[in-house]
Amino acid sequence: MIERASDESAIGLMSGTSADGVDGAVVRLRWSGLRPSVELVAHAYRPYPDDLRARILDVAGGRPVPTAELARLARDLTVTHNGVAAELLRGRAGGVAVIGVHGQTIAHLPRERATLQLVDAAGLAVLLRVPVVSDFRSADVAAGGEGAPLTPFADHVLFADRAPCVVVNVGGIANVTLIADDRAQHVVAFDTGPGNMVIDAVARLAGHDRDEGGAGARRGRVVAAALDEALAHPFFARRAPKSCGREEFGADFTAGLVAKVRDRGGSLDDALATATALTSRTIADAIRANAPAGASWREALVGGGGAANAALMSGLAAELDPVVVRPTDDAGIPAAAREAIAFAILASYRLRGLPNTLPRVTGASRAVCAGALHEP
């Protein structure tokens, strides 16, 4: 364990399964008591160039590629990550103690004990002259866990004082963190299924990157029969711990949902409405099915890109009523920055040699100090 000052700054970098770009956050951690207090100092975002995003989605979608192409993809991903971190470091007196970088998930196969996130973390450490922590999932997988979700550890650090509450992250994949009290060992968390992934894929069929604000879903109608068929996917019936990715809810799943909507005379807007209903329903069902006995949630705090989708937020509010649904912004954590903040927290724990996983959440045999540390 490394002895460090009680206060330090850290950067987190995150690119999720939506593969739209890199979010970065600078946080200040003040270490005292059972967990540090965390203050957001700055947030930055840089989208991937269109051709890079297309390559990511192509490879993550399962297209076989030469190893040289994977190496070049990691290099090009690193350019965007470096740009975000350099922007956050610019003019920052004293710099930061560590940078935590998740990398871009290309494959996540927990049942096969395999997961792969691409980024050149050693190169980032040299370029930025700051220690960099990466490869957060492997240590948990080695301990028998799913290697995901990882952000619930940080959710507990950030929101335990608001318990009992639910934290919902709607990135490409959606996950929930159920915080019944202030004890980390009582946290229940897992992936619930698609977040924005299917919605975005349907939107791309109409020539858009996403369903901006949920406008398409609001124009459409939910095709109940197509929704019911989608809800029959076996992942939704699995008990936690569980995690998922494009392997379950990628191009084939989206094509099937769109075909079922069209078979019943529906439009792409109807497919957007159905995909949005799928996300809100499966999140709410998962919360209800896994709530500790007697739990009465004070609020559901929503982070990730889905928090900006008004149709999805309305769907969640209807599904979870009477629980109050609000963005994490209302609790002082901007929804768009939450996952980047999480990896800054995980990296800070790694630098101190402290466990930064929740084995009850991932299914691992023990808590581990996850992440590979690269010195500049």
Side-chain angles (χ1 to χ4, degrees):
M1 184 182 299
I2 300 173
E3 291 295 329
R4 304 196 64 85
S6 58
D7 291 3
E8 65 192 22
S9 294
I11 287 176
L13 301 174
M14 177 65 191
S15 177
T17 47
S18 294
D20 46 6
V22 178
D23 277 292
V26 182
V27 302
R28 184 174 295 110
L29 299 99
R30 294 184 172 87
W31 290 82
S32 62
L34 295 176
R35 56 186 180 275
S37 64
V38 180
E39 176 191 357
L40 176 64
V41 177
H43 172 233
Y45 170 73
R46 185 167 295 194
Y48 287 134
D50 289 344
D51 63 331
L52 178 56
R53 185 174 192 235
R55 288 162 60 200
I56 296 167
L57 294 174
D58 198 24
V59 173
R63 180 177 68 86
V65 296
T67 52
E69 187 171 341
L70 280 180
R72 295 186 187 103
L73 182 58
R75 175 201 62 197
D76 295 344
L77 287 164
T78 303
V79 171
T80 303
H81 283 77
N82 179 66
V84 174
E87 177 183 340
L88 290 170
L89 284 168
R90 196 171 296 124
R92 191 162 302 285
V96 299
V98 67
I99 296 172
V101 55
H102 174 265
Q104 183 63 56
T105 296
I106 297 302
H108 184 62
L109 307 164
R111 291 190 167 186
E112 299 178 39
R113 298 174 63 80
T115 187
L116 177 63
Q117 289 73 44
L118 289 185
V119 73
D120 179 6
L124 282 175
V126 171
L127 286 169
L128 298 166
R129 300 180 182 179
V130 178
V132 172
V133 178
S134 67
D135 192 22
F136 284 93
R137 300 189 186 277
S138 294
D140 184 83
V141 171
E146 300 237 342
L150 295 177
T151 54
F153 182 93
D155 287 339
H156 182 262
V157 172
L158 291 168
F159 301 115
D161 290 344
R162 301 178 72 93
C165 68
V166 178
V167 183
V168 181
N169 180 67
V170 189
I173 294 296
N175 53 66
V176 296
T177 305
L178 311 182
I179 306 175
D181 54 40
D182 63 357
R183 300 180 67 181
Q185 60 267 39
H186 292 168
V187 170
V188 175
F190 49 91
D191 287 351
T192 63
N196 300 314
M197 182 180 294
V198 178
I199 300 169
D200 289 351
V202 175
R204 284 195 293 274
L205 295 176
H208 308 292
D209 286 339
R210 63 186 63 83
D211 184 19
E212 196 70 45
R218 285 183 176 275
R219 290 191 300 269
R221 62 179 180 85
V222 175
V223 178
L227 176 60
D228 289 343
E229 289 190 44
L231 288 168
H233 191 289
F235 178 82
F236 301 126
R238 279 178 51 196
R239 299 290 295 176
K242 61 179 182 176
S243 58
C244 61
R246 291 191 181 277
E247 292 76 14
E248 291 86 2
F249 299 109
D252 289 346
F253 182 88
T254 300
L257 182 142
V258 171
K260 293 179 181 75
V261 169
R262 283 179 163 158
D263 286 348
R264 292 161 177 85
S267 64
L268 281 180
D269 281 347
D270 296 336
L272 285 169
T274 304
T276 302
L278 176 68
T279 293
S280 58
R281 172 78 65 82
T282 51
I283 289 171
D285 284 350
I287 291 170
R288 286 188 286 264
N290 293 274
S296 179
W297 306 115
R298 179 180 302 167
E299 59 190 349
L301 300 167
V302 184
N309 183 324
L312 178 57
M313 290 293 280
S314 293
L316 278 173
E319 291 281 356
L320 292 173
D321 185 64
V323 178
V324 175
V325 175
R326 53 169 58 104
T328 56
D329 304 60
D330 291 0
I333 302 296
R338 172 185 159 270
E339 287 192 292
I341 293 169
F343 281 92
I345 293 170
L346 295 178
S348 187
Y349 272 77
R350 170 62 182 87
L351 198 62
R352 290 168 174 263
L354 298 172
N356 56 3
T357 63
L358 297 172
R360 180 180 180 184
V361 167
T362 65
S365 60
R366 59 185 176 86
V368 296
C369 182
L373 178 62
H374 304 268
E375 296 286 353

